[in-house]
Every structure is written in C-alpha cells, then in structure tokens.
C-alpha cells in the first residue's frame, strides 16, 4: 500500500485546513489597537491561505506589510508580526527560499530584541519549523520544533495548549523521518492536553488524533490506528453529516490503513465511499478525487494475488 502517512492525501488536506491556525490563538491586532480595517484585512488574508489561494494571500500580506511600514515603521511589532505571516504565505506559494530567508532575519530580530524565550520569538521559530516541514526538510523542522518545545516547557510547563501544539508539529516531523515511536509519544502527550483543554470534538483535537492514527499505522499498529480513525469518523458524522468533506477524508484514511493491514474487503468499502463522495463533491481532476481513485485501484491490485493463489500441488 506504500507509506500511509507520507502518501495520504488527508495529511496534505489537514495542513491546508490548518494553514491559518498557526497564529489563531494569538491574534493581537484588533485587541491591541481596535483597528477594524486592519483586523478585517488580516482575517481575509488568512482565509485565502485556508482556501488554498496562496498567491492571492501572498499579495494581500504584501499590501498589509507595506501599509504597516508606511504607518508604523519597519521595526513596529505589528509590522514584524505581519512579515512573519507574509513569509508563511510565500512558503505556501512555493517560494521556500525567500520565506526561509525572511523568517531567519525576523528570528534574529526577535532574539536580539525580546530574547529566545519570548512568545513572539517562539512564534517566529514555530513558523520557521512549519516552513521547513512544508519544504520537505523534516529533520531541520524537528530541530526547530524541539527548540521551541524546550523553551515552552521551561516557561509554560507541560500542561499547556501551546506546548501541545508544538508537540503536534514535532510529531509530524518525526513521523516524516520514520521515527514512528517518538512521533507516537509526542502525539499522545499532545492528545491528553487537547482532549482536556479543547474537548474531543475540537478541530485541533481531531487533527492530532488523526495524525496519531496515521503514524500508528506506519508503525504497523493497525488495530490502534483503526480504533482512532473510527472514533474520529463517528464524531465527524455526528457533527457534520455523512457527506461532509472531513468525513469522506476520514473514510479515505480508513481505506488506506485497512488496506495496509490486508483487510481488503473492509478497506474497499471505505475507499469506495470516499471516492464516490469526493467525486460528487469536487471536480473530477481535483487531487483528492484522483488520490481516492488511486487508492481503490491499489486495493483491487493488492486483492488480486490473494484471490488467485493456486492450490498447493500434492506430489504422489
């Protein structure tokens, strides 16, 4: 079946849906200044990222940063904050070189002005870690996430939602490098906090649980992965209905995990449901439709040898 985590379209979908979540807990703009226009602009730019309109988001952030510099100056806190988000938008648009260069410049400024443990410094380092992960450089991403985690645990303690979010990012990076046992431990520690602080139905809680299940499947812990994904499916069906995109993508995950466990009939049931639903909801050339079709074909191919094995020859 191939790599369940690295090849699964749901992982990329989750990254797309969470693309604007990195700073959602720390939106300072309107709270600090009451400037509704700027707040609306920031929200609009983040929504563009969430919907995969990365070039448009990049242009929106560029306009915001230019306005910041004109009104506030290049070293103002909001200017620097918006530059971090602009760099992330550049990365989402595929310009990893510029995005990394800008984030490292910003990180140097934050380190010098605020120190390595300040929340804005850690926010910038987290952005750098996410960029490196998106650029398929998981080892470097993991190193950055560990630096953030060490600082956050020292300052905030272990029972904190920001620490849980960092553990989630570190788990992603470890999973991509094949360190499944370590990744599972990070996801599990994060899950305890997400469940308690945000509740089991929260988007971030479900996302962490989903990625935990995918890494468990990579580690050949198929029963645990199946149990986790079916629990997620139940919650999402109850909240969103049977044809919601998140439900169909969870079906896709279950199809891939059960296929990896060689439970082909069950895998095909979930894969067919995912393909039919996605084909109905999206355009035929959408990458998620193509991935779902490919999964169905792969399961059929994997089923064939088992069905066609000839009986053993008995020598007389």
């Amino acid at each position: 079946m191939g790599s369940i985590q690295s090849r699964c379209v749901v992982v990329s979908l989750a990254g797309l849906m969470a693309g604007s979540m990195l700073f959602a807990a720390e939106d300072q703009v309107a709270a600090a200044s009451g400037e509704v226009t700027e707040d609306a602009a920031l929200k609009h730019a983040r929504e563009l990222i969430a919907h995969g309109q990365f070039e448009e988001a990049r242009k929106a952030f560029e306009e915001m940063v230019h306005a910041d510099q004109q009104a506030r100056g290049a070293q103002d806190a909001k200017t620097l904050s918006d530059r971090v988000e602009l760099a992330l938008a550049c990365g989402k648009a595929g310009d990893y070189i510029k995005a990394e260069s800008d984030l490292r410049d910003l990180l140097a400024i934050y380190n010098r002005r605020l120190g390595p443990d300040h929340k804005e410094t850690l926010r910038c380092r987290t952005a750098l870690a996410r960029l490196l992960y998106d650029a398929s450089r998981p080892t470097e991403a993991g190193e950055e996430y560990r630096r953030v985690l060490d600082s956050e645990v020292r300052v905030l303690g272990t029972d904190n939602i920001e620490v849980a979010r960092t553990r989630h990012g570190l788990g992603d990076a470890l999973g991509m490098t094949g360190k499944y046992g370590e990744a599972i431990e990070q996801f599990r520690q994060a899950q305890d906090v997400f469940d308690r602080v945000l509740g089991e139905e929260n988007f971030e809680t479900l996302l962490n649980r989903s990625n935990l299940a995918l890494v468990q499947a990579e580690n050949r812990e198929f029963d645990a992965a199946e149990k986790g994904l079916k629990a997620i499916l139940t919650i999402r069906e109850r909240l969103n209905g049977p044809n919601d995109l998140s439900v169909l993508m969870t079906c896709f995950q279950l199809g891939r995990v059960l296929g990896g466990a060689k439970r082909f009939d069950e895998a095909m049931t979930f894969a067919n449901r995912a393909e039919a639903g996605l084909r109905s909801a999206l355009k035929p050339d959408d990458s998620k439709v193509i991935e779902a079709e490919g999964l169905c074909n792969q399961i059929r191919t994997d089923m064939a040898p088992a069905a066609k094995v000839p009986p053993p020859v008995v020598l007389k």
Side-chain angles (χ1 to χ4, degrees):
M1 293 294 297
S3 173
I4 293 169
Q5 185 189 39
S6 62
R7 291 180 58 200
C8 185
V9 68
V10 183
V11 174
S12 61
L13 177 71
L16 175 62
M17 294 174 71
S20 63
M21 292 182 62
L22 185 59
F23 308 128
E26 291 284 350
D27 191 352
Q28 306 168 359
V29 181
S33 66
E35 296 182 22
V36 178
T37 301
E38 288 185 356
D39 184 53
L42 181 62
K43 181 180 179 181
H44 173 67
R46 287 175 174 172
E47 286 176 348
L48 289 172
I49 288 181
H51 289 89
Q53 297 173 265
F54 302 132
E55 281 296 342
E56 293 86 346
R58 177 178 183 167
K59 292 175 183 177
F61 278 120
E62 285 175 346
E63 292 175 2
M64 288 177 58
V65 169
H66 178 73
D68 290 339
Q69 292 172 335
Q70 293 291 323
R72 303 166 178 269
Q75 298 301 309
D76 180 81
K78 182 179 182 303
T79 304
L80 296 175
S81 177
D82 287 345
R83 282 185 61 194
V84 172
E85 300 218 39
L86 170 58
L88 281 174
C90 287
K92 290 292 185 184
D95 194 349
Y96 296 121
I97 294 175
K98 175 173 173 50
E100 181 182 358
S101 176
D102 288 349
L103 284 174
R104 291 194 184 279
D105 287 345
L106 287 160
L107 186 59
I109 293 171
Y110 281 125
N111 270 313
R112 184 173 64 252
R113 291 175 55 178
L114 302 175
D117 291 337
H118 192 277
K119 64 181 181 180
E120 292 302 314
T121 308
L122 296 177
R123 177 176 178 263
C124 184
R125 191 177 289 284
T126 300
L128 176 60
R130 186 71 228 182
L131 174 76
L132 292 169
Y133 178 85
D134 288 345
S136 299
R137 294 161 60 184
T139 299
E140 296 166 86
E143 292 170 355
E144 295 296 337
Y145 276 124
R146 286 191 190 279
R147 293 188 181 101
V148 175
L149 184 62
D150 289 345
S151 290
E152 287 181 338
V153 168
R154 184 168 60 252
V155 174
L156 302 173
T158 57
D159 191 21
N160 181 277
I161 193 63
E162 293 303 326
V163 174
R165 289 174 175 137
T166 301
R167 289 193 188 281
H168 175 94
L170 178 57
D172 280 341
L174 290 167
M176 189 181 280
T177 58
K179 297 179 180 179
Y180 303 131
E182 295 177 64
I184 288 169
E185 180 60 27
Q186 294 299 331
F187 284 129
R188 280 179 173 158
Q189 290 188 52
Q191 195 66 43
D192 289 341
V193 179
F194 283 131
D195 284 336
R196 186 171 59 257
V197 176
L198 301 181
E200 69 171 11
E201 296 180 354
N202 179 269
F203 172 81
E204 289 183 84
T205 304
L206 293 173
L207 175 61
N208 187 81
R209 193 169 187 177
S210 175
N211 284 6
L212 168 59
L214 291 176
V215 176
Q216 287 173 323
E218 292 282 16
N219 206 41
R220 306 197 67 76
E221 299 176 24
F222 294 115
D223 289 345
E226 178 190 1
K227 181 179 179 180
L229 288 173
K230 284 186 174 178
I232 293 168
L233 183 63
T234 298
I235 292 171
R236 286 178 167 162
E237 285 181 323
R238 184 176 71 248
L239 293 177
N240 305 320
N243 299 316
D244 184 77
L245 186 60
S246 67
V247 171
L248 298 173
M249 301 310 287
T250 305
C251 289
F252 179 96
Q253 288 177 318
L254 276 163
R256 187 173 288 285
V257 168
L258 291 167
K262 300 188 184 305
R263 292 163 56 186
F264 298 124
D265 289 340
E266 297 166 86
M268 183 59 76
T269 297
F270 284 107
N272 280 335
R273 179 180 172 186
E275 182 189 11
L278 291 169
R279 192 175 295 282
S280 176
L282 304 172
K283 295 179 180 179
D285 60 349
D286 188 283
S287 62
K288 290 176 280 298
V289 175
I290 294 171
E291 287 261 7
E293 182 181 1
L295 175 61
C296 290
N297 290 335
Q298 184 64 57
I299 294 171
R300 292 188 190 97
T301 300
D302 292 342
M303 291 174 72
K308 296 180 179 179
V309 173
V313 176
V314 179
L315 299 177
K316 296 181 180 180

